[in-house]
Amino acid sequence: MMKKAIKKVSNLLGQPQEHIRHHITQPDDSDISFYRNSIHKFDGSLIAMARDHVSRFLIVFSERQGGVITRFTGEQIGDVGIHARLCPLDATNAAVLRELFFWTTPVSLKKQKTTIGCGDRLGLASAGHIAAIKHFDGVKPVLAQQSMRELKLTNRTYRQVVDDAVFQVFQVGYEGGYGADGDHLKTIPDIDLALESGMPMITLDLSDVMRADAAKWGAGEIEKEFATFPEAERSRLLANYAGKEFSIAKSPAVKFSKAAVMRCAVMYHKAMDFAAEVNSFLKQRRGEDYDLEISIDETTVPTLPEDHVFIINELHHRKVKPSSIAPRFIGEFQKGIDYIGDNEKFSSQFAIHCAIAATYGGYKISVHSGSDKFAVFPAIGSLTKGHVHLKTAGTSWLESLRMLAEEEHILFKVIYKRALIGFNEATKLYHVKTNLSMAPDIDKLYEDDYPKLLNRDDVRQILHITYGTILNDHSIRPMFFSAMHKHEEYYHELVMAHFEKHLSALKLTRRA
Ligand code: ZN
């Protein structure tokens, strides 16, 4: 039996794209519905995304035999005489979409003023991110963004992460351009995986090659370690920095003592060499078309102004021009909850980091674990004047759980209990302030109160870091994804509202 909706589209094939989009929104008793903005005509074919009560898929129609329809893998549908194919959302079909519609391919966002990392662990949230971002001027989303840790815990590959973004972008017909970030990568083989999958942005995590512990060493220890550097390098470093003043726009100059030069060298010199190696690898693979973020945030010591000045100067010395740098800020940026620390101290040090970035090439300051930091968003927004990269990840996952807490009480309760069991294991990978004794007993709560759990810091952190345990539980996984499919639209609305809150707090300009 031919589905009504498919019949209707095939009857409209000869009409212009807008006409088809307009008519397809009419209520229909068919159990297939098309995503209106995904309807695209291409060389005698019509390509669109649709869903039924089980899944999403592509449907490709063709007025004639052959042509672009043959490039999609899928099964022939409909009556004899109609050329239509129902195609799964797989790697082959994502690749065809990327080729036919250039705007579904991730691009470098180096030249964009404000960029928002929208880590989407489920591959289902981008439509909500896009809807929010479209309401603000000069903002571009990094829709695909995962760390190796997240890939492992969600059992995804970089190719799948990018493909999920491709399908979401096509589904809503977003042609504004988006980024893809291989996040917190530490080795060239891992970077290679991200590049192979078409990710133009690499966040290079230097925590394994820098010596953060040297920040706490005594003068003797530093001197001893510095003495092991090659002589020419020692003289260059001392001549370039010791006793020198580095002037910074609208801020006091940064001046290096001999001890500070040696400390910075011990902490960062090897890391800078590695950054240079990674940079030439990126150049070799992508020409100039890449975004390199230098991340030194995964450490316990805040990045001092002199550290930042040293790092950017040493990068330039090695001909590395980062698109963004993620320092470690004062205070705590924990997962899923607001900033912990002294707002004023944060602002005054953040201002210096912004000034250094503005003085040395105008790269972006990147704020990691940047979701839900409402206490410092106004400062971040005004001090950067929107020239910033804000990275978020688990907060969109938490919105999916908020949706379940509202709509699917039994499933939410099962997930909540599973999270409590997996919590201690998860804390080996994620640092949070919460412990299990703080978690409310869900059996004592009314179902209507479940959504309130998502407003508590302790519960947010527990659910934030246990996504691996939850998604890999085979009794939960199928129910989880079928509920996500059922409530797709509402999930996108929640994500959109949550991101609009972020973008407004950053004082970004709302589109008229
Ligand atoms: Zn980070």
Side-chain angles (χ1 to χ4, degrees):
M1 241 304 269
M2 182 77 163
K3 304 273 190 222
K4 269 194 178 172
I6 294 176
K7 185 114 194 152
K8 189 165 179 181
V9 173
S10 59
N11 289 337
L12 290 167
L13 268 192
Q15 305 291 326
Q17 181 173 299
E18 283 316 309
H19 179 93
I20 303 172
R21 285 188 182 189
H22 179 72
H23 282 272
I24 211 63
T25 57
Q26 307 302 317
D28 198 301
D29 59 0
S30 163
D31 55 357
I32 281 186
S33 48
F34 284 85
Y35 297 96
R36 189 168 63 101
N37 293 330
S38 76
I39 293 174
H40 283 86
K41 291 200 94 177
F42 187 96
D43 188 25
S45 291
L46 188 142
I47 301 142
M49 263 178 82
R51 56 168 283 151
D52 60 16
H53 62 284
V54 182
S55 64
R56 300 181 297 146
F57 36 80
L58 286 164
I59 299 184
V60 186
F61 300 91
S62 183
E63 287 167 353
R64 55 188 159 85
Q65 212 139 27
V68 91
I69 191 171
T70 59
R71 303 196 42 200
F72 290 90
T73 57
E75 50 175 295
Q76 168 69 33
I77 45 168
D79 307 334
V80 183
I82 294 176
H83 308 293
R85 226 173 240 198
L86 192 142
C87 311
L89 303 187
D90 64 12
T92 312
N93 292 327
V96 179
L97 281 187
R98 277 198 291 272
E99 255 183 70
L100 300 185
F101 305 99
F102 69 91
W103 42 268
T104 62
T105 302
V107 291
S108 158
L109 299 178
K110 203 169 347 203
K111 304 253 162 69
Q112 304 297 335
K113 191 173 170 215
T114 313
T115 49
I116 310 289
C118 310
D120 175 11
R121 292 169 179 165
L122 302 170
L124 298 171
S126 301
H129 296 139
I130 291 166
I133 277 162
K134 275 167 94 173
H135 292 149
F136 292 82
D137 271 332
V139 186
K140 296 287 176 192
V142 177
L143 296 176
Q145 170 211 294
Q146 296 271 269
S147 63
M148 293 311 279
R149 178 169 66 186
E150 287 173 312
L151 283 188
K152 243 176 244 151
L153 290 171
T154 54
N155 275 313
R156 298 166 87 200
T157 62
Y158 272 135
R159 173 63 69 185
Q160 284 169 319
V161 171
V162 173
D163 288 352
D164 285 338
V166 167
F167 290 124
Q168 290 267 316
V169 161
F170 189 71
Q171 176 171 320
V172 298
Y174 171 67
E175 301 186 14
Y178 72 97
D181 175 11
D183 195 9
H184 274 288
L185 299 182
K186 296 178 173 180
T187 67
I188 296 213
D190 287 351
I191 290 168
D192 198 25
L193 283 178
L195 293 180
E196 277 290 312
S197 314
M199 295 180 128
M201 174 172 176
I202 297 298
T203 297
L204 177 62
D205 180 337
L206 292 174
S207 45
D208 286 359
V209 276
M210 61 187 250
R211 305 193 67 165
D213 55 325
K216 290 168 190 149
W217 291 3
E221 232 176 321
I222 294 276
E223 232 166 283
K224 213 172 125 198
E225 182 60 31
F226 187 67
T228 65
F229 282 47
E231 215 215 300
E233 207 44 13
R234 266 183 290 156
S235 335
R236 180 185 70 81
L237 289 164
L238 290 172
N240 283 2
Y241 297 96
K244 293 271 161 69
E245 277 201 0
F246 292 75
S247 51
I248 288 153
K250 290 184 209 155
S251 296
V254 170
K255 200 174 166 186
F256 284 83
S257 66
K258 193 179 167 196
V261 184
M262 292 193 285
R263 181 186 57 78
C264 283
V266 170
M267 284 178 78
Y268 302 113
H269 193 272
K270 229 176 99 188
M272 295 298 101
D273 286 345
F274 183 57
E277 191 186 332
V278 165
N279 188 59
S280 30
F281 182 69
L282 293 173
K283 255 196 185 26
Q284 179 200 323
R285 294 291 297 272
R286 292 191 61 100
E288 294 300 319
D289 188 32
Y290 64 88
D291 302 344
L292 173 61
E293 174 158 315
I294 299 291
S295 136
I296 48 168
D297 67 303
E298 299 254 318
T299 149
T300 48
V301 269
T303 311
L304 300 173
E306 60 197 33
D307 297 44
H308 190 165
V309 168
F310 182 84
I311 287 167
I312 190 60
N313 278 284
E314 285 301 295
L315 287 173
H316 285 171
H317 175 69
R318 290 163 177 80
K319 305 205 163 39
V320 180
K321 279 193 174 168
S323 305
S324 46
I325 290 187
R328 167 75 164 84
F329 303 114
I330 286 181
E332 288 196 57
F333 279 69
Q334 288 201 12
K335 308 287 175 190
I337 61 168
D338 211 327
Y339 175 71
I340 305 168
D342 183 324
N343 286 7
E344 268 169 41
K345 270 193 199 150
F346 168 82
S347 298
S348 61
Q349 216 210 34
F350 189 80
I352 299 173
H353 285 303
C354 295
I356 296 171
T359 308
Y360 291 95
Y363 49 91
K364 284 174 212 146
I365 292 293
S366 176
V367 180
H368 285 202
S369 300
S371 66
D372 307 285
K373 304 298 179 286
F374 294 99
V376 286
F377 281 156
I380 291 174
S382 60
L383 291 169
T384 58
K385 297 187 186 72
H387 190 63
V388 66
H389 181 58
L390 183 81
K391 207 177 274 217
T392 78
T395 205
S396 301
W397 153 252
L398 286 178
E399 288 308 297
S400 77
L401 299 180
R402 183 189 301 281
M403 187 273 285
L404 297 181
E406 289 179 22
E407 303 290 326
E408 302 284 342
H409 294 137
I410 299 166
L411 177 59
F412 179 77
K413 190 167 165 176
V414 172
I415 287 176
Y416 183 82
K417 289 185 170 182
R418 190 70 191 80
L420 296 185
I421 297 169
F423 178 74
N424 284 330
E425 186 65 26
T427 54
K428 290 180 189 162
L429 293 171
Y430 287 96
H431 165 69
V432 291
K433 62 165 187 172
T434 300
N435 66 62
L436 279 181
S437 67
M438 298 164 162
D441 180 354
I442 196 166
D443 287 323
K444 292 191 179 136
L445 298 178
Y446 293 111
E447 289 183 341
D448 284 351
D449 289 331
Y450 289 178
K452 289 183 195 149
L453 289 171
L454 268 301
N455 301 332
R456 293 177 58 120
D457 281 2
D458 43 18
V459 174
R460 287 183 72 78
Q461 293 207 311
I462 290 166
L463 294 173
H464 193 289
I465 68 168
T466 49
Y467 61 97
T469 313
I470 295 164
L471 291 172
N472 289 313
D473 184 314
H474 294 293
S475 61
I476 293 175
R477 191 180 172 88
M479 282 192 295
F480 174 83
F481 281 103
S482 106
M484 289 305 294
H485 184 68
K486 181 175 163 197
H487 303 289
E488 183 189 16
E489 226 179 297
Y490 184 47
Y491 177 50
H492 291 159
E493 277 169 30
L494 287 176
V495 171
M496 178 181 83
H498 192 53
F499 270 68
E500 286 206 344
K501 234 170 97 185
H502 282 69
L503 300 173
S504 303
L506 283 167
K507 298 181 176 174
L508 299 172
T509 319
R510 205 171 253 280
R511 242 175 218 162

